[in-house]
Amino acid sequence: MTSAGVRGGRPGGPGPSVVLAVDSGGSGLRVALAAHGVTSDAGSPVRQGAAPPPPPAPLGDPLTSKEPVRTGPRGISAGHLLDQLLPMAQRLMAEAGVERLGAVAVGAAGLATLGDELRDELPAALERELGVRRLALAADAVTAYTGALGPRAGAVIAAGTGMIAIGTDLTSWRRADGWGHLLGDCGGGAWIGRAGLEAALRAFDGRPGGSAALLARAEEMFGPMPGLPGRLYPRTDRPAVLASFAPEVASRAGSDPVAADILRAAARHMAESAAAVCPVDGEPHLALTGGLFKMGAPLLDPLREELAERLPHARQVPAAGDPLDGALRIAADLANGLLRLPLDERMLYVAAEKPYPEIDGRNSSQDRQVRDN
């Protein structure tokens, strides 16, 4: 396969009518098959105000793995991903009676900064093992965006343990934050949980800004406060441990002004990131996706206020689907030769067989620059 920006149909007619999608993140893998078909507007940018067409429906339930893909000296391990993916893909294909795939889309956390090995090794490996001749490698923020908004200009806030905002005007991608719990992810679950534990420690010390309610709950969950650093710092899953305290902050926001202030600050950080990536022209769409928003009103109410203040021209809409839906949509559009999202080596990289027009350089960061904020 050759890196490509696919435009137009496959010479000699359409290819296989089944695609494979992968969502690889901190909680493991999800893999799904879906049938796809070409419609008159498939892959086209959605007209102003219209909802995107639904993604292709999975053929049966997705398969899952609880083991996150490891990272190595060259970033995300292609070998470890393949060790998990290939048996799952082969099982799905056998159950569906499928011998060939029209395309594969892999959404991977960390692709933008840790994706060199995946880009170098996955195209040849998947062609050899599964006969894949069209492959898209996408940052998980891109699949989250595509699942939420489809081929529409706008911005998406994706928040769970971490937080990233991603936007596009359909010519290039913009991202803000997503720098991890030590350097950023401001407003995400780990950030909220850490702020809540800081408020608990302030109350324990007798410093201003403390919360007696959060102190009591922290001691119930983690034991006496003097032992918290020793229990937390050696753990390799620190972000998840911190994020586990975020719902406790939300549940006390109605009666505890310190907890409410933490969620207001989280909402402000998210809105700032969204404003940094949202297109400034027209009426872009804005969606929220990720498990953090299950907190409900204590977080969503201040977030909607902050977004209305910073992005009055953006239209807030419900997310149409999740990252696996986004990967399915990308795979189907790629199989049909109708992928319209902007290509970039770090954010959305496509490898496809020749011959295709416009095949050289479409993944180049020089041609499709991501502007980090």
Side-chain angles (χ1 to χ4, degrees):
M1 285 190 289
T2 302
S3 62
V6 177
R7 294 292 186 268
R10 179 188 299 240
S17 59
V18 175
V19 297
L20 183 79
V22 182
D23 176 33
S24 172
S27 58
L29 260 67
R30 293 187 298 158
V31 184
L33 276 184
H36 72 92
V38 181
T39 62
S40 60
D41 60 351
S44 300
V46 177
R47 68 181 182 277
Q48 189 73 32
L59 298 174
D61 294 331
L63 296 182
T64 62
S65 166
K66 299 292 187 182
E67 184 177 3
V69 177
R70 295 191 293 264
T71 58
R74 297 186 58 229
I76 303 166
S77 170
H80 191 221
L81 175 61
L82 289 165
D83 287 344
Q84 297 186 71
L85 170 58
L86 289 177
M88 299 165 77
Q90 289 161 351
R91 176 181 164 185
L92 287 169
M93 293 171 69
E95 291 176 351
V98 173
E99 295 182 357
R100 292 184 58 206
L101 298 169
V104 173
V106 177
L111 182 80
T113 53
L114 298 170
D116 287 349
E117 186 171 317
L118 293 187
R119 286 184 287 267
D120 289 346
E121 298 184 16
L122 274 192
L126 290 177
E127 183 174 20
R128 180 179 63 252
E129 299 294 335
L130 299 178
V132 175
R133 303 185 71 187
R134 288 187 175 189
L135 170 66
L137 299 177
D140 59 341
V142 169
T143 52
Y145 183 99
T146 309
L149 290 182
R152 293 190 284 187
V156 167
I157 301 173
T161 299
M163 197 288 301
I164 189 171
I166 184 169
T168 182
D169 57 3
L170 301 181
T171 64
S172 63
W173 295 101
R174 294 181 68 96
R175 57 163 284 179
D177 211 337
W179 300 121
H181 76 289
L182 291 177
L183 298 176
D185 285 357
C186 298
W191 186 95
I192 292 172
R194 192 213 62 80
L197 290 173
E198 180 188 346
L201 290 166
R202 284 179 173 272
F204 180 82
D205 291 343
R207 291 179 289 152
S211 164
L214 292 175
L215 172 60
R217 182 58 181 140
E219 289 183 327
E220 289 174 1
M221 290 181 64
F222 301 108
M225 287 294 95
L228 179 60
R231 288 188 293 273
L232 177 62
Y233 291 166
R235 295 187 61 153
T236 58
D237 60 345
R238 285 188 301 273
V241 175
L242 292 171
S244 72
F245 198 64
E248 310 302 326
V249 177
S251 69
R252 288 156 180 77
S255 58
D256 183 351
V258 173
D261 286 347
I262 290 171
L263 294 186
R264 169 65 70 177
R268 183 169 61 252
H269 283 306
M270 291 186 199
E272 289 171 349
S273 291
V277 302
C278 190
V280 297
D281 298 324
E283 187 184 14
H285 290 77
L286 176 63
L288 312 177
T289 187
L292 190 66
F293 299 114
K294 294 178 182 178
M295 286 183 177
L299 177 62
L300 291 175
D301 287 351
L303 179 57
R304 291 188 180 111
E305 293 173 7
E306 295 286 344
L307 290 171
E309 178 181 345
R310 288 171 170 77
L311 292 169
H313 68 300
R315 179 182 177 187
Q316 296 186 42
V317 298
D322 67 10
L324 186 60
D325 294 318
L328 285 170
R329 184 187 296 277
I330 290 170
D333 286 347
L334 181 58
N336 292 328
L338 295 168
L339 186 62
R340 296 290 183 262
L341 294 169
L343 302 183
D344 179 273
E345 185 176 70
R346 293 186 297 159
M347 301 295 285
L348 179 56
Y349 177 86
V350 168
E353 78 274 31
K354 290 183 179 181
Y356 285 103
E358 308 175 32
I359 198 167
D360 294 322
R362 294 301 304 272
N363 290 307
S364 170
S365 59
Q366 295 177 350
D367 296 329
R368 294 287 191 185
Q369 182 179 11
V370 178
R371 296 182 292 274
D372 292 331
N373 293 275

